[in-house]
Amino acid sequence: MEYNKKVVTLVYGCQMSERDAETLTEITRHFGYSPSEDLETADLVIVNTCCVRESAENKILGKIGELKKLKERNSRVKIAISGCMVQQPGALERLQKRAPHVDIWAGTHNLHDFSALLRKVEQGEKVAEVWQEPKGTLEVASFAEKGKLHANVNIMYGCDNFCSYCIVPYVRGRERSRKPKEIIEEIKSLVDSGCREVTLLGQNVNSYGKEFTPALDFADLLHQVDQIASLLRIRFITSHPKDLSDKLIKAVAEGEKLCEHFHLPIQSGSNFILERMNRKYTREYYLKRVQQIRELIPNASITTDIIVGFPGEAEEDFEQTLTMMKQAHYSQAFTFMYSKRSGTLAAKMEDQIPLDVKKRRLQKLMSVQNSESLEWRQHMIGQVVEVLVEGPSKTNPQRLTGRTRGNELVVFKGDLASIGSLVHVKINEAGTWTLVGEVESNRGIQSFM
Ligand code: SAH
Ligand code: SF4
């Protein structure tokens, strides 16, 4: 087939959204599109959306507005808007009114059927399709791009937790796990085309396989993935603390390729707020989980997500979040101001927090976490850590970058030939976000390519 048409894919939100965007881009290949980054010469622009916070939605609405101008300059271009924002109950009609220049609207459950929509649009129609439920298992196999070192692999979809602030269960549907065989095959094919690191994706990977008979849980799946030859590293997100089993911690401690990194969102350090968030754990329980990780895996890196300004959050609740940061010793935290999502329970709570208070708390939280992140990295000075070499550093092309098993970013002097391999780097300097080091020459490069 002749590849003469260009598709630009823009993606907002989490890794699952990124993965969906890859699927969409791949589907367009069968229609003769090749990926591009230049909007001006594009024949098709896909925007895969996120609606987890209002700030994301505002950015996306701004982009959709810009695309209207693009279409005025270039009437040939087709515009597709897909994903979570479109899937929100009642959103489609509102969006269509606001953006009549869009050619394809697609929800999260019918992304895999994107080819049918694209076919119609190529014949001059405008289409909108948002299925209320996923129909069967519509997995489009992951497409291994040549030379791509890292890949995201879905292991499950949806979420059953209904945290009171969160829109995800409404736009991603109920939890469903992919069969281990499918996952393993997908990873093997990725590895065959050069991939060395996978991140297994799910909103709550710890409840993977709940529905399977005979029983097979996430730790069992990890054990199987760990056996795949030539794969160097396995990561996973996200672990809901309430379901983090000892068996899983043990699996990570023992697994050869399983990286010692847990993304364990706490959301708040206050039991009162955790209860209102419907997180189903207490601060004390969470800290015990952290302790268990540290006992079995002393070097484990733990990262988290935190929301400030959840309805009813008093100053003392916020203080408890701050003390939690100091107790848990996170290597990194993703911090957010609570954003009201219509349709969720928390949106109806009365004691919403004013924006200025949320902003102040976010600033304070970030400054506490920044010093924690720095301290975490400083304790690594002098250590020799395993790094998967990704490529030249964006800020300093004379240096290479890569990540430790704990997912810390490292910048170091090294040989371009080591890209895609594991090297041992001695850490000499540490900043809040980055470690600086040098390759330990006596341990050399372990090449697996
Ligand atoms: N499944 C994951 C989280 C997915 S959403 C988990 O349970 O940990 C990613 C993060 O966005 C959440 O951890 C939370 O910190 C944040 N988030 C979700 N809804 C939000 C809202 N309404 N306002 C602000 N932050 C929110
Ligand atoms: Fe949202 Fe909670 Fe599900 Fe995470 S576990 S996606 S925060 S509802």
Side-chain angles (χ1 to χ4, degrees):
M1 187 177 291
E2 203 186 331
Y3 286 96
N4 50 8
K5 290 182 285 184
K6 300 276 181 232
V7 55
V8 176
T9 308
L10 307 173
V11 53
Y12 294 83
C14 64
Q15 281 95 332
M16 282 154 246
S17 177
E18 282 172 23
R19 180 70 199 89
D20 286 345
E22 284 171 13
T23 298
L24 292 174
T25 311
E26 196 54 40
I27 289 173
T28 68
R29 274 187 203 277
H30 303 292
F31 288 77
Y33 290 88
S34 57
S36 153
E37 289 182 1
D38 181 20
L39 282 171
E40 294 305 321
T41 56
D43 299 281
L44 173 66
V45 179
I46 301 174
V47 184
N48 201 48
T49 60
C50 168
C51 61
V52 80
R53 280 171 292 277
E54 196 183 357
S55 52
E57 288 201 301
N58 288 342
K59 262 192 232 158
I60 295 164
L61 290 172
K63 184 53 81 181
I64 297 176
E66 281 173 35
L67 293 176
K68 184 173 181 196
K69 299 205 185 84
L70 177 73
K71 209 160 178 170
E72 284 162 8
R73 294 195 295 275
N74 164 9
S75 62
R76 192 188 66 239
V77 69
K78 305 285 184 211
I79 295 169
I81 313 291
S82 54
C84 288
M85 202 168 153
V86 185
Q87 186 72 42
Q88 281 180 96
L92 179 63
E93 208 172 301
R94 204 178 57 236
L95 287 167
Q96 276 179 312
K97 256 192 213 139
R98 193 182 167 126
H101 58 289
V102 169
D103 300 280
I104 305 181
W105 297 98
T108 54
H109 297 319
N110 56 306
L111 289 184
H112 302 93
D113 196 36
F114 192 70
S115 41
L117 302 180
L118 192 53
R119 195 165 298 122
K120 288 187 187 161
V121 164
E122 295 231 312
Q123 287 158 5
E125 284 182 52
K126 284 197 180 224
V127 289
E129 198 151 30
V130 180
W131 296 347
Q132 290 316 305
E133 306 271 335
K135 293 185 193 164
T137 51
L138 288 165
E139 182 62 29
V140 173
S142 179
F143 300 92
E145 251 178 65
K146 267 261 174 270
K148 208 172 101 180
L149 215 53
H150 174 265
N152 289 322
V153 175
N154 286 320
I155 63 161
M156 58 195 300
Y157 302 99
C159 179
D160 288 351
N161 287 311
F162 290 93
C163 301
S164 63
Y165 49 83
C166 186
I167 194 77
V168 171
Y170 302 90
V171 293
R172 293 262 163 193
R174 298 289 62 75
E175 253 173 44
R176 50 224 186 267
S177 305
R178 287 179 72 196
K179 303 258 177 326
K181 192 166 163 278
E182 262 180 46
I183 298 169
I184 301 290
E185 276 169 13
E186 178 173 333
I187 300 175
K188 281 185 176 162
S189 104
L190 285 163
V191 169
D192 283 345
S193 66
C195 170
R196 290 294 171 264
E197 178 179 271
V198 289
T199 303
L200 308 178
L201 302 180
Q203 293 298 350
N204 177 11
V205 290
N206 299 332
S207 63
Y208 174 80
K210 245 181 5 199
E211 65 270 45
F212 290 164
T213 33
L216 185 138
D217 64 14
F218 184 51
D220 300 327
L221 175 73
L222 285 179
H223 182 68
Q224 291 189 21
V225 180
D226 201 36
Q227 312 298 312
I228 297 177
S230 299
L231 180 65
L232 298 183
R233 283 178 166 184
I234 304 157
R235 302 186 180 281
F236 54 87
I237 50 167
T238 293
S239 287
H240 194 305
K242 79 177 163 67
D243 299 317
L244 178 69
S245 66
D246 287 349
K247 182 176 170 189
L248 175 67
I249 303 174
K250 227 166 138 245
V252 174
E254 288 166 0
E256 184 200 333
K257 301 165 185 174
L258 295 170
C259 289
E260 295 77 10
H261 169 216
F262 292 84
H263 185 59
L264 206 57
I266 173 88
Q267 313 296 1
S268 167
S270 149
N271 284 338
F272 170 69
I273 296 295
L274 285 172
E275 166 118 40
R276 283 168 67 97
M277 286 178 160
N278 193 28
R279 288 292 286 181
K280 301 196 179 84
Y281 53 82
T282 60
R283 172 194 179 102
E284 292 73 26
Y285 170 85
Y286 182 96
L287 278 169
K288 277 204 194 119
R289 297 282 74 203
V290 168
Q291 207 179 353
Q292 180 74 352
I293 295 174
R294 302 240 185 263
E295 248 163 53
L296 289 180
I297 316 171
N299 279 331
S301 144
I302 304 178
T303 56
T304 201
D305 291 348
I306 298 183
I307 298 175
V308 296
F310 182 83
E313 186 187 68
E315 215 50 47
E316 64 202 65
D317 296 308
F318 175 61
E319 287 297 326
Q320 287 182 19
T321 297
L322 295 180
T323 57
M324 187 72 205
M325 309 295 278
K326 293 180 186 154
Q327 276 176 282
H329 301 299
Y330 296 118
S331 69
Q332 195 179 356
F334 299 89
T335 51
F336 310 105
M337 279 193 281
Y338 168 73
S339 170
K340 201 169 168 180
R341 302 287 71 202
S342 88
T344 62
L345 268 178
K348 295 188 207 88
M349 291 181 183
E350 275 170 10
D351 27 15
Q352 300 284 329
I353 304 295
L355 183 63
D356 59 331
V357 176
K358 287 198 249 187
K359 280 189 180 160
R360 176 171 52 74
R361 288 185 186 162
L362 185 68
Q363 284 308 321
K364 175 76 189 161
L365 184 68
M366 282 162 68
S367 82
V368 169
Q369 181 52 40
N370 285 353
S371 56
E372 286 294 313
S373 298
L374 180 62
E375 201 175 298
W376 175 263
R377 280 166 185 69
Q378 277 172 338
H379 99 273
M380 296 177 77
I381 293 176
Q383 287 180 14
V384 175
V385 292
E386 180 202 278
V387 174
L388 177 60
V389 188
E390 288 168 16
S393 156
K394 284 196 189 107
T395 48
N396 181 353
Q398 307 305 312
R399 302 281 166 100
L400 295 174
T401 59
R403 288 187 178 264
T404 66
R405 293 176 70 90
N407 211 28
E408 290 98 0
L409 188 69
V410 190
V411 178
F412 55 98
K413 250 194 225 155
D415 189 343
L416 284 174
S418 66
I419 294 172
S421 311
L422 296 175
V423 295
H424 287 93
V425 175
K426 177 151 186 241
I427 303 302
N428 299 327
E429 283 172 52
T432 309
W433 317 112
T434 322
L435 298 163
V436 181
E438 58 193 332
V439 174
E440 279 274 276
S441 47
N442 56 348
R443 300 186 62 173
I445 298 170
Q446 270 174 277
S447 183
F448 294 80
M449 298 298 271

